[in-house]
Structures are given as structure tokens and as C-alpha cells.
Amino acid sequence: MKISLPVRGSDAISPTAHYTGYVWYRHGLSHPGLVTPQGRALYHALRPLNASSRGIGGPTLEGFLLARHRAIDALLGHAIDSGAVGQVVEIAAGLSPRGWDFARRYGTRIQYVEADLPHMAQRKRERLAAAGLETPRHRVVALDALADGGALSLATLAQSLDPKQGLAIITEGLLNYFDTDTMLGMWQRFATVLKRFPAGAYFSDLHLASDNRGASTRTFGKLLGSFVRGRVYLHFGSVAEAEAALIRSGFATAQLIAPQPQAMSGGAIDRKGAALVRVIKAGT
Ligand SMILES: C[S@@+](CC[C@H](N)C(=O)[O-])C[C@H]1O[C@@H](n2cnc3c(N)ncnc32)[C@H](O)[C@@H]1O
């Protein structure tokens, strides 16, 4: 099957949201209402490539996706359970189940805002409504992570949040699609906004150059390249470099965590996949 993907800028990333949306569903993390035909088609189109990588002892897309997703879930859950965080803005949420899942799990204890580019936000709203998954403290808004000001900026969204509640910002599957300066701009914007709240936490996945070397990983790189059809940026050569850049961007604390490998729906555990990704835990 031939899958056509747009190739440039933020738009190049959107098809991957359909794919990951299907992966979350496939592994029991999501609701059928958040599955799209594009996601299902991409998933099945990429199965042979995933299988051939696994066949030579290499990593799989699903292995690293599940590791990062569950690690971010755990960090966010802990931040809410500790009482530090009472509201969440998930930027580039795509078709992720996290907003729906946390809103139903935590009820009135949190306010969950999912944010994405206008067309994706609209699609998510439609999907949630059609599947009856809306809850009062969960909303989906249009936002451009690259906007410094204006209606689509994080700064404008932040004005609608409760200044007395701790805030967590999440990005998942976003940072490595942007060049270093653009990504640092996002981090500065996130830190600036988080500092206005009594507690500020930032959780995200990040791929490092130091974790993405070796023969099987090169095969995996081809897999990822065929999937994204755009450039993937590995901004930092080490954990220390990435942590220092987060501090320079305005965070008071920054830690890169190696996520635990997670069992897939069939029981297989992909340790090599999990080793390709780190999870940021930063605070202001
Ligand atoms: C790889 S998907 C990840 C979706 C979701 N976080 C997940 O893990 O399933 C990337 C998402 O980034 C969104 N995106 C791309 N550029 C963006 C931008 N400038 N601002 C906000 N979202 C953006 C896309 O629309 C897409 O939903």
C-alpha cells in the first residue's frame, strides 16, 4: 500500500499522530473513538518494516512509543497525586488518549487542556464528541507551539488558566521534528509560562544522538525516515548537554530519564526501542 504524506514543517508531523493514535489503541491505552482510518492504514503499512527490524534484533517503533508514553503518564500521575499539579496543557496532543484518560481518572481534581494545530484540534473535538468522551474539565484548543503571541499562542491560553494551581506542560512526539533553535524557542516559551504558576512541570520525550547509534538503530532510522518523510533532528550528544540546555532555557531543574521498556499487547518487550528515547522531567 502506498501512503502519501505531506513533507514540510508542522504539517509533515500530523500523519504520525494518526499512527501513534492507533498504536495507543492497539496496545490497550486508548478508545476506539480515537482511531482513524489513516492511523489504521499506516500501522498496517509499517508492520513489515517493524517486523524486519525486530527480525535482525533491532528496535521497533511501538517499543519506543509505548516506553515514552507510559513514562510520561507515570510522571504526570505522580505530579497530580502529590498535589503539585492541578492543571495540564498537553501541546501537540494529536489523537493521544491522555487527556480523556486523565480527565476520567482524576475528575474534578484536574483541568486538562489538549492543544494542537487548528485542523487537528478540530478533528480531536469531533472524535471526542462523536464517541461521547467529553467531560466538563477536559477541553481541546487550537494552539501553535511556535507562536510567540496572538490567539494561537501558549501565552494567550495561559491567561485562561487558574493562576493558583500548579501547571504541567506536556509535549510528546514533537521536539525531534524541529531544529535546535526552534525547539529551544519552545522550551523558553514553556518555562516563561510555567513560572507564573505556583508549581511548574514540563514532561516530554526526547531522542539524543548518543542513544541513536549502531547498525540496528540505522535500520530503525530508515524505518522512522520512511514514516515521517521529513528530517528528524537529534539536538544533543548527551544527557548532560540536554539538561544544561533546559536550564539555560529557564527551567530551575532538569532531568532526562531512561524510560522502562513496556510489554506490548502480545507480551513482547522491546528493550532496544525503549533505549532510543529519554523522558524530560523539568521544573521551574
Ligand atoms: C507525532 S504527533 C504526536 C501526537 C501525540 N502527542 C501522540 O504522541 O500520539 C505530532 C503532533 O504535533 C502536532 N503539531 C505539529 N506542529 C505543531 C505546532 N507547531 N504546534 C502544535 N502542535 C503541532 C501535529 O498536529 C501532531 O498532532
Side-chain angles (χ1 to χ4, degrees), residues 10-11 13-14 16-17 20-21 24 68-69 90-96 115-117 119-120 143-146 171-174 177-178:
S10 292
D11 284 346
I13 314 169
S14 291
T16 61
T20 51
W24 311 138
R68 83 176 193 205
H69 193 80
E90 179 162 0
I91 295 173
L95 298 162
S96 171
D116 206 305
L117 294 173
H119 65 282
M120 185 60 81
L143 181 142
D144 182 352
L146 308 184
T171 57
E172 182 177 6
L174 185 72
Y177 298 118
F178 292 94

Side-chain angles (χ1 to χ4, degrees), residues 102-151:
F102 272 72
R104 71 179 176 153
R105 273 165 54 190
Y106 284 95
T108 55
R109 287 173 61 195
I110 59 164
Q111 185 81 50
Y112 205 108
V113 185
E114 294 190 82
D116 206 305
L117 294 173
H119 65 282
M120 185 60 81
Q122 178 63 27
R123 186 184 285 255
K124 184 71 170 283
R125 274 194 294 269
E126 287 166 5
R127 292 257 149 197
L128 289 168
L133 303 180
E134 294 164 305
T135 51
R137 293 172 68 86
H138 174 209
R139 62 189 163 116
V140 184
V141 302
L143 181 142
D144 182 352
L146 308 184
D148 273 320

Side-chain angles (χ1 to χ4, degrees), residues 64 175-180 183 187 206-214 217-218 220-221 224 231-238 241-242 276-278:
F64 92 74
L175 301 180
N176 290 94
Y177 298 118
F178 292 94
D179 64 52
T180 305
M183 185 201 63
W187 284 358
L206 183 70
H207 295 273
L208 300 177
S210 44
D211 296 331
N212 287 269
R213 298 191 176 117
T217 303
R218 276 199 295 279
F220 179 73
L224 195 60
R231 186 150 173 214
V232 174
Y233 296 87
L234 300 174
H235 312 101
F236 304 110
S238 68
E241 271 181 37
L276 294 179
V277 65
R278 303 281 172 149

